[in-house]
Amino acid sequence: QVQLVESGGGLVQAGGSLRLSCAASGRSFGAFVMGWFRQAPGKEREFVARISQSGGGTAYADSVKGRFTISRDNAKNTVYLQMNSLKPEDTALYHCAFSSTWSLSDFRSWGQGTQVTVSS
């Protein structure tokens, strides 16, 4: 069983920063690829970033490259998303997700998500 708890969202002005955290349950956190996805009202789930099991590989959506950084601490069963230079377009409910593969289609989200709202 897996349980994910996201935190760190909030209201921030354009150009500001937030750091999201996702705490995972279980003893096998390091066996999974972890990622962040977001969903805004009226839009479909959108990939944001993912990180390999050991943290050595990362990938980002073009829309966030250079602004967001994903990282993980396997000893703490936690994955992070540092978000800088936030834009109103980043406003969404952010979910962390896990996968046994690198494929985006294999990710599953189990947490409640954390809301990020960016004002202009």
Side-chain angles (χ1 to χ4, degrees):
Q1 56 187 21
V2 177
Q3 187 167 331
L4 305 174
V5 180
E6 300 98 334
S7 63
L11 175 64
V12 64
Q13 292 185 340
S17 299
L18 286 172
R19 189 183 74 162
L20 307 185
S21 297
C22 174
S25 65
R27 302 177 181 177
S28 301
F29 178 78
F32 293 100
V33 179
M34 298 298 297
W36 287 94
F37 294 77
R38 65 189 183 187
Q39 188 166 21
K43 292 187 175 181
E44 295 183 355
R45 181 178 185 252
E46 178 187 20
F47 163 75
V48 176
R50 57 186 161 174
I51 186 167
S52 62
Q53 294 91 333
S54 65
T58 60
Y60 301 88
D62 288 342
S63 60
V64 307
K65 285 181 179 177
R67 300 189 298 120
F68 291 10
T69 302
I70 188 171
S71 61
R72 67 191 296 165
D73 186 338
N74 288 350
K76 297 181 179 179
N77 278 22
T78 303
V79 61
Y80 306 94
L81 185 68
Q82 178 66 46
M83 306 185 294
N84 298 325
S85 301
L86 283 162
K87 304 175 180 179
E89 306 93 274
D90 296 318
T91 296
L93 183 66
Y94 284 70
H95 294 268
C96 66
F98 67 96
S99 176
S100 59
T101 77
W102 193 243
S103 177
L104 292 179
S105 63
D106 290 335
F107 281 85
R108 300 291 181 268
S109 299
W110 293 95
Q112 294 295 107
T114 185
Q115 179 68 38
V116 171
T117 303
V118 184
S119 62
S120 60

